[in-house]
Amino acid sequence: MQRERVELTVPGSDYRLGVIRHGHYGRPVLVFPREGGRAEDFADNGMVSAVQWLVDEGRVTFFCVDSFDVGSGRSVSVQGPARSSVEDPAMRQLLYQGWLERAVVPAIFEILGGHEDIIAFGTSMGAYQAMQFAFRRADLAPLAIGLSGNYDGGTGHVWGERGDGTYFTNAADYVASLDEDHLDWLRQRLSILLVCGQGEREAHPTGALPSARRFAELLSGKGIAHQLDLWGNDVSHAWPWWGRQLAHHLPRFC
């Protein structure tokens, strides 16, 4: 997968989504793109070059994945009930999660020669996906880093109207309901880093700034290890700032 796009089939459908690898050794970082984004976006927007020294020193390997958005022009051959499933946002999220767990993660472990703790990482909508993956599979990804994310899909940012499917694919909903053994396990296993600027497009229209604050409060109330790092009023919802934030934080984790 190194610098070449590899397409892996989404279990339960005929969709094929892409993965691109940057690096040859080191801690794996599973990179989620912005809404409607592709695996190429991370490198194309300077994020790899922002931490190139970590890649060159073998401290980190990035595994960048496509988003899963119907109508995005990607190859598809799905009929009948399967077509309905992928057009339902909550069901599509479950299919996406299955693809990550059953196709992408095994490929990562095969390339690296064994199980390695993954960092789930994303910007904007990708930050939401990083949290979603880490909370569901903290055994695979005990650290999630979100830059400028909106973590409450139930507000309409992602899913629209709430329902059972929405609830279980929305971290802000189900984290609020965590208790007993599973919550104790997450307290021992999971760490969260939320980073957000306070400048242009961080509060409106993205809702990233208020969402990061609310999500940090939720994590604090549940006793889940986390850090909220708010940058200045000049820091906008944009790739150049995300590159700086990645370079600031990632070295201490790999």
Side-chain angles (χ1 to χ4, degrees):
M1 279 188 263
Q2 190 163 8
R3 297 184 183 87
E4 295 182 1
R5 181 180 180 86
V6 173
E7 303 261 333
L8 303 176
T9 300
V10 178
S13 78
D14 289 336
Y15 271 82
R16 294 178 63 83
L17 300 177
V19 185
I20 297 176
R21 173 189 172 195
H22 300 278
H24 59 280
Y25 191 71
R27 187 164 186 183
V29 179
L30 179 58
V31 178
F32 294 91
R34 300 176 65 182
E35 186 172 9
R38 295 173 65 87
E40 289 84 355
D41 296 346
F42 187 71
D44 288 350
N45 287 282
M47 298 295 282
V48 175
S49 60
V51 290
Q52 189 65 54
W53 79 95
L54 295 177
V55 176
D56 294 342
E57 292 176 4
R59 292 170 57 181
V60 64
T61 301
F62 295 107
F63 293 88
C64 306
V65 298
D66 285 340
S67 62
F68 189 13
D69 298 306
V70 174
S72 61
R74 298 196 180 95
S75 174
V76 60
S77 175
V78 182
Q79 305 295 328
R83 161 59 68 180
S84 299
S85 294
V86 297
E87 289 178 344
D88 176 76
M91 181 58 68
R92 188 165 67 247
Q93 180 66 25
L94 294 176
L95 286 170
Y96 190 49
Q97 185 78 22
W99 177 70
L100 296 166
E101 294 176 4
R102 295 162 57 188
V104 176
V105 170
I108 291 174
F109 290 165
E110 181 178 357
I111 288 169
L112 297 180
H115 184 110
E116 297 278 353
D117 282 344
I118 294 169
I119 299 173
F121 173 86
T123 62
S124 193
M125 178 62 175
Y128 173 94
Q129 293 288 359
M131 298 301 149
Q132 175 71 15
F133 183 77
F135 270 96
R136 288 179 62 94
R137 294 304 306 265
D139 57 321
L140 300 174
L143 171 63
I145 302 174
L147 311 184
S148 300
N150 186 326
Y151 305 103
D152 186 0
T155 63
H157 174 66
V158 180
W159 306 122
E161 296 183 1
R162 271 177 163 82
D164 287 345
T166 300
Y167 176 86
F168 289 111
T169 55
N170 181 31
D173 276 336
Y174 64 70
V175 172
S177 301
L178 289 170
D179 58 15
E180 299 180 346
D181 291 345
H182 187 57
L183 176 57
D184 289 340
W185 181 74
L186 287 173
R187 287 169 175 161
Q188 297 170 18
R189 177 69 178 169
L190 184 62
S191 295
I192 300 295
L193 173 59
L194 308 174
V195 184
C196 192
Q198 300 180 74
E200 185 179 5
R201 300 189 74 247
E202 290 288 51
H204 180 77
T206 65
L209 180 57
S211 178
R213 287 172 167 154
R214 287 193 302 268
F215 199 52
E217 291 176 359
L218 177 59
L219 295 172
S220 180
K222 291 297 181 179
I224 296 173
H226 69 284
Q227 177 186 355
L228 174 62
D229 182 20
L230 298 181
W231 289 39
N233 293 328
D234 60 330
V235 178
S236 61
H237 193 91
W239 286 109
W241 285 110
W242 294 332
R244 295 185 192 183
Q245 292 164 354
L246 180 66
H248 177 73
H249 283 289
L250 188 60
R252 62 190 166 108
F253 299 118
C254 58

